[in-house]
Amino acid sequence: MLEAWEFILRRPELLAEWVLAHLWIIFVAIIIAVILGVFLGIFITGKGREQIADSVLYLAEIAMTIPSLALFGLLMLLLGSMGLKSIGFLPAVIALVVYGQLPILRNTYTAIRAVDPAMVEAGRGMGMTERQILFKIELPLAVPVIMAGIRTSIVLLIGIATIAAFIGASGLGVPIFRGIRNARMDLILIGGISVSILALIIDGLMALVERRITPKGLKVGRQ
Amino acid sequence: MIKLEKVTKVYADGTKAVDEMSFEVDQGELCVFLGPSGCGKTTTMKMINRLIPITGGNIYIDGVDNTKINASELRRNIGYAIQEIGLFTHMTVGQNIETVPVLKGWSKSRRRERAEELLELVRMKPSEFIDKYPNELSGGQRQRVGVARALGTDPPILLMDEPFGAIDPINRVELQSEFLKIQQKIKKTIIFVTHDIYEAIKMGDRIALMKDGKLVQYDTPANLLYRPKDEFVEGFVGADRALKGLQLLRVKEVMTGTYATAKMGEKTEVVRERMEKEGIDWLPVVDNSGRFTGGVSISDLTGGRAKTVKDVITPSEAKSDINAVLNEALSLMLSSGLKTLPIVVEDNRLAGILTFDAIQETLHEAVKTGGTK
């Protein structure tokens, strides 16, 4: 423990580099995952798409059960065979997008489906177009739940991103793997504890965002 | 004006929900769609604003086939209120009411003005409620906002699907009466769906009674009650149709207008003589300007040393407004034990009296001749 602390004091710039690299991978991955997940989530709530919805959600669930180590390995080979960069940043981001998909996708889908049908009917009956129903009623009401999905996703990715070091991406996985190989307890501790602290801080921040973004009308009530 | 011509709805699985329904609803009329569940009343209503696509026949709105109008455009010109209300919980009361004005691109100030006007109309204080959220309102208040929202851009036609169905009975009666008052002001062409025969009789200028997707009888409430077309209608309006007729009549149509009274300052002997001469044992008492103040019965006047009516008067609270519905007045007579109910107009001025005999006579006449309205 003491050695870990000494290491940080000795090489703070190294820790900063790992943390930033870690955050950058997650940032890029989550942006892509949100765009993909929300779009797909909205798409599968459409009329007559119940079966597509089932299949898509099922696929996303299966993706989550693939061991992360195996997925990183698979992507390495796959990208390699396509002539793309098979190690480092690119496969890491792709793997994280796959993992981060389910909570966002499922929450978007569930939240839109959970909107009171009476509101949708009233909207339609007053002459809203399907697009207006989506943007004026369904999405505003679904936003808090979608945010909660994004939050879950981010926290999940912070942990999984450590494994990206295995395929040559930077981040907090680097000291952990280095520590394991060289039997350096301090490095493992630095990596592990930093990941936990990072997860806690970001989760807290996201909780604040979630509360801010919830429409006021949903927070008040006489019940 | 709304005209239905052989309107038919057959679902993909072959179920015939509405079968060649034809009738017209006149401008400014409140038409009730009545019938047991599954009779096609809601389906028929939703074909008018095309929430449900029609499969046969035509619906004309002011002479225009409604399938020739863009669906959203059509709906923006037809007010829509449903039992579940469906207020948008993430929007304020004001924003809810401004829904259609926004869709139609009204300016912000014009929308706001309209929202305030509509809140006044449904008797909710704009300054207090306009910025509240639906979750902060009671059931009755939400229902009022729902009606206000349906009137957003002052559409000539209003579709209401059991709008008071989810409200408790006491508030429902109140909302119905209030809505009738509003309708007298706004004179919309209204389709009002309900399965409640009492509501139908109270609200409707005309009632379209439906069964199994077919129109059984399209008539005034009085005709439906007193001239049922067949056994189904008779059964549906119930064996107590004479009693239900109480809802159709106003006190002023039944009361006795000219009637002896006693003045506050009159001598007791004079009043007693008058009562004996007329053969009645109770008189309403009025003050100098004709306001109803109480009653005296003959037993109060016999014996004792009372000099004037003022000394023996029984102050009475029980009285009925001249515009009240007959069943409300009758209910008051039964609960207060009065055989003679004083009827007043504004400012508490005595207008006449209502007796059991008069009620009985009128109802009997109605059943015999087939309605009074």
Side-chain angles (χ1 to χ4, degrees), chain A residues 118-119 121-129 132 136-137 140-141 215-218 220-223, chain B residues 46 51 72 75-76 80 82 84 86-91 99-100 102-103 133 135-137 142 149:
Chain A
M119 287 190 214
E121 203 205 309
R124 192 172 290 131
M126 284 188 290
M128 283 188 182
T129 60
Q132 284 164 335
K136 282 172 181 276
I137 306 174
L141 287 167
K216 196 173 159 235
L218 304 184
V220 297
R222 47 162 58 205
Q223 289 87 359
Chain B
K46 286 186 178 173
L51 279 177
S72 297
R75 292 175 197 146
R76 283 172 202 177
Y80 189 60
I82 51 177
E84 306 81 11
L87 291 183
F88 307 138
T89 47
H90 58 298
M91 296 185 192
T99 304
V100 186
V102 167
L103 293 177
Y133 285 95
N135 286 344
E136 297 173 289
L137 307 178
R142 279 180 214 175
R149 187 174 66 172

Side-chain angles (χ1 to χ4, degrees), chain B residues 302-334:
Chain B
T302 28
R305 296 188 313 203
K307 287 278 160 28
T308 61
V309 170
K310 203 175 170 182
D311 301 318
V312 293
I313 184 173
T314 316
S316 173
E317 288 292 316
K319 65 193 174 212
S320 173
D321 188 85
I322 195 162
N323 283 315
V325 177
L326 194 54
N327 71 335
E328 285 162 21
L330 179 65
S331 159
L332 189 62
M333 289 169 81
L334 292 170

Side-chain angles (χ1 to χ4, degrees), chain B residues 108-124:
Chain B
K108 207 171 172 182
S109 57
R110 185 172 169 211
R111 282 180 344 224
R112 182 80 178 188
E113 206 175 297
R114 179 67 181 155
E116 285 173 359
E117 196 181 301
L118 283 168
L119 278 174
E120 294 275 8
L121 185 71
V122 296
R123 300 207 315 162
M124 288 172 78

Side-chain angles (χ1 to χ4, degrees), chain A residues 5-216:
Chain A
W5 187 241
E6 276 169 1
F7 183 89
I8 292 171
L9 290 179
R10 211 168 55 239
R11 308 286 306 273
E13 79 287 349
L14 209 52
L15 177 64
E17 190 196 311
W18 289 330
V19 169
L20 284 179
H22 203 86
L23 285 176
W24 177 240
I25 290 180
I26 288 165
F27 179 75
V28 173
I30 205 75
I31 296 282
I32 299 172
V34 167
I35 294 171
L36 214 63
V38 172
F39 266 98
L40 208 55
I42 291 171
F43 177 77
I44 61 177
T45 47
K47 228 182 187 171
R49 301 203 182 113
E50 288 80 7
Q51 274 196 317
I52 303 176
D54 284 346
S55 323
V56 169
L57 287 171
Y58 189 62
L59 271 177
E61 256 168 73
I62 289 181
M64 276 199 88
T65 63
I66 305 172
S68 35
L69 211 52
L71 184 64
F72 279 114
L74 267 175
L75 277 170
M76 219 163 83
L77 294 178
L78 213 67
L79 289 174
S81 73
M82 287 161 72
L84 291 165
K85 211 168 166 254
S86 61
I87 55 164
F89 189 73
L90 185 67
V93 166
I94 295 177
L96 291 186
V97 169
V98 171
Y99 276 111
Q101 209 41 216
L102 183 66
I104 300 172
L105 183 65
R106 193 170 45 198
N107 278 31
T108 305
Y109 177 74
T110 319
I112 291 181
R113 290 286 302 258
V115 170
D116 184 356
M119 287 190 214
V120 176
E121 203 205 309
R124 192 172 290 131
M126 284 188 290
M128 283 188 182
T129 60
E130 295 308 305
R131 179 183 291 260
Q132 284 164 335
I133 290 172
L134 177 67
F135 284 105
K136 282 172 181 276
I137 306 174
E138 292 177 326
L139 276 184
L141 287 167
V143 149
V145 183
I146 296 176
M147 256 342 268
I150 295 173
R151 191 174 147 198
T152 311
S153 203
I154 290 182
V155 172
L156 191 79
L157 294 196
I158 291 174
I160 294 177
T162 50
I163 301 170
F166 176 73
I167 50 166
S170 183
L172 286 163
V174 175
I176 297 176
F177 274 98
R178 211 175 275 171
I180 293 170
R181 252 195 315 265
N182 304 318
R184 283 273 303 274
M185 185 66 140
D186 55 341
L187 286 179
I188 298 176
L189 279 176
I190 285 171
I193 292 172
S194 303
V195 166
S196 302
I197 292 174
L198 212 57
L200 284 175
I201 292 173
I202 291 184
D203 189 48
L205 286 176
M206 292 297 291
L208 284 180
V209 174
E210 206 180 308
R211 208 170 314 151
R212 281 290 299 269
I213 212 166
T214 304
K216 196 173 159 235

Side-chain angles (χ1 to χ4, degrees), chain B residues 43 73-74 86 91 104 123 173 212 276 291 323 356 369:
Chain B
T43 310
E73 203 51 50
L74 173 79
M91 296 185 192
K104 286 193 151 193
R123 300 207 315 162
V173 170
D212 300 332
E276 277 165 353
R291 285 194 195 87
N323 283 315
F356 285 119
T369 61

